[in-house]
Amino acid sequence: MNLIDQIRLRAQGTAKRIVMPEATEERSLRAADIILQEDLARLILLGNREEISANASHWNLQHIHKAQILDPKDHDRKEFFAQMLFKLRQSKGLRIEQARIMVEDPLYLAVLLIKNGDAEGEVAGANNATGDVLRPAFQIIKTQPGITAVSGAFIMIMPEKTYGDNGLLIFADCAVNPDPSAQELAEIAIATAQTAKNIAGIDPKIAMLSFSTKGSANHPRNDKVIAATQLAKALDPQLKIDGELQADAALVEAIGQKKSPGSPIAGRANVLVFPSLEAGNIAYKLVQRLANAEAIGPVLQGLAAPINDLSRGCSVEDIVNLVAITANQANGI
Ligand code: ACO
């Protein structure tokens, strides 16, 4: 059974409540229908009730009636959530009048539902930019204890099985932190190891990537990666990690052993941690397009509740898969 099928099977019947704030959008509603049909999650769909119902019947979707539908502009708990948002953000200067407007935004209502215990997770981003999905999550849900930087990992499934774990690799951070500090990079490495274990089911071997291998070039950008590697080892001495490594030294056995002899990771890495968001985001999109890899994610790591962001170019299947991953994260598996 392939990884996606395993992920979907694990989510089945777990009945986690996942909010989908873009329910009037075609791919999201079609995905919701499949999720409900396969029983991958219970769904709370946010949007205009009449529009959702009309779209569901227009596209002949048979299962949408099983979802709870909530119209952010018209429901009886608007004032309750406005007060809740105001209390959570008044120290940041938010006024109650602003909170009353913000709770009509489905992306804010989604995180407030999670905060209030009405839902366990959220998937959004088919119609909204990453920053607009992440900001409410950062402000209201916050990070897990011990984590300061939320990051985004991609599970990359290569048609060519030569590299990583039989063609399976995890890339991070591809979605959130434009210029992570050494401390943040160390946290990203640790969080990505967890994603590799819990979501992809592999034993993580982490390469901290740069344009240099073990001092072959001298630059402050390499120093940051070296410092991050040391910090990660100090934070988790069990971690299988090495850096700084170039991508070929990380992946290709012969090159790895030549450039970094004796490294337990060089040539065997299955988790690639990139030094910046430019590198991580460009790398995953190039590998996806040029190598025809399947890119699952970004799986957000380090938030206090599972919230995942879609690419606006996502397919219906991408949405279904990310909801299944979110349900599994909510279930702690
Ligand atoms: N982890 C946890 N919390 C964070 C993080 C982070 N990485 N970054 C910001 N925050 C928190 C801040 O502490 C702050 O909280 P507070 O208001 O309670 O004090 C809140 O989020 C807002 O912080 P700002 O500094 O104002 O952050 P801003 O809203 O400007 O930006 C954002 C945050 C949106 C995530 C920004 O870093 C960003 O745009 N990143 C790039 C996202 C992106 O475009 N990715 C590429 C596309 S994704 C793809 O292709 C799949």
Side-chain angles (χ1 to χ4, degrees):
M1 192 187 291
N2 69 30
L3 180 64
I4 292 291
D5 291 341
Q6 288 173 35
I7 287 170
R8 278 160 83 144
L9 192 66
R10 261 186 271 152
Q12 229 164 42
T14 53
K16 293 295 165 197
R17 295 163 301 172
I18 307 299
V19 193
M20 296 181 70
E22 299 163 321
T24 50
E25 194 269 342
E26 180 168 358
R27 289 163 302 170
S28 300
L29 199 62
R30 287 188 185 278
D33 196 57
I34 297 170
I35 292 157
L36 293 164
Q37 182 179 18
E38 293 188 13
D39 195 21
L40 303 178
R42 287 158 66 193
L43 293 181
I44 304 172
L45 303 180
L46 303 188
N48 179 274
R49 198 175 290 278
E50 285 73 37
E51 197 179 340
I52 292 173
S53 299
N55 286 348
S57 68
H58 180 60
W59 296 320
N60 197 24
L61 306 178
Q62 305 291 320
H63 302 273
I64 297 300
H65 67 275
K66 297 179 202 163
Q68 181 188 344
I69 298 175
L70 194 58
D71 183 346
K73 292 191 194 308
D74 181 19
H75 64 101
D76 55 12
R77 290 199 295 164
K78 270 179 77 175
E79 183 59 21
F80 169 80
F81 283 117
Q83 292 293 343
M84 185 178 165
L85 178 59
F86 170 62
K87 285 191 191 104
L88 288 167
R89 299 296 293 174
Q90 63 178 331
S91 64
K92 298 279 175 182
L94 187 78
R95 288 178 286 111
I96 183 65
E97 307 80 60
Q98 293 171 303
R100 288 194 178 109
I101 296 167
M102 284 163 75
V103 292
E104 294 196 354
D105 177 344
L107 296 172
Y108 271 94
L109 181 58
V111 294
L112 289 164
L113 285 164
I114 295 172
K115 187 78 178 173
N116 195 47
D118 295 317
E120 280 87 29
E122 175 196 355
V123 171
N127 235 4
N128 284 284
T130 296
D132 295 333
V133 176
L134 296 188
R135 208 169 291 108
F138 289 172
Q139 291 173 351
I140 308 298
I141 302 297
K142 305 279 184 188
T143 54
Q144 289 167 11
I147 299 276
T148 57
V150 172
S151 56
F154 274 90
I155 300 169
M156 305 296 295
I157 304 174
M158 318 289 300
E160 158 75 60
K161 306 290 178 206
T162 312
Y163 302 115
D165 209 278
N166 203 21
L168 193 73
L169 288 135
I170 318 295
F171 287 13
D173 173 14
C174 306
V176 185
N177 302 278
D179 190 12
S181 65
Q183 171 70 31
E184 288 167 341
L185 263 189
E187 287 181 16
I188 291 167
I190 291 167
T192 312
Q194 268 169 22
T195 298
K197 264 189 275 188
N198 297 347
I199 307 290
I202 60 173
D203 179 27
K205 299 186 191 74
I206 309 162
M208 302 293 277
L209 295 184
S210 186
F211 56 84
S212 152
T213 299
K214 299 296 171 92
S216 63
N218 198 356
H219 193 277
R221 286 188 170 274
N222 295 331
D223 296 341
K224 178 178 87 170
V225 177
I226 295 164
T229 309
Q230 286 162 354
L231 277 167
K233 280 182 189 162
L235 286 166
D236 182 354
Q238 305 301 322
L239 218 54
K240 294 176 190 159
I241 185 168
D242 201 8
E244 88 296 13
L245 295 170
Q246 286 161 287
D248 57 354
L251 294 172
V252 185
E253 183 88 40
I255 299 175
Q257 292 314 317
K258 194 171 171 190
K259 291 187 173 182
S260 181
S263 164
I265 303 300
R268 303 186 189 113
N270 54 21
V271 173
L272 304 184
V273 174
F274 294 88
S276 73
L277 186 55
E278 287 106 326
N281 189 269
I282 292 167
Y284 107 77
K285 285 183 192 287
L286 284 181
V287 172
Q288 181 186 31
R289 298 292 162 183
L290 299 182
N292 209 17
E294 190 169 352
I296 305 171
V299 179
L300 285 186
Q301 326 175 122
L303 274 168
I307 292 175
N308 284 306
D309 169 50
L310 295 152
S311 163
R312 276 173 290 174
C314 65
S315 66
V316 171
E317 281 299 301
D318 292 336
I319 304 175
V320 175
N321 294 338
L322 204 56
V323 168
I325 286 175
T326 309
N328 288 337
Q329 285 178 303
N331 220 17
I333 51 172

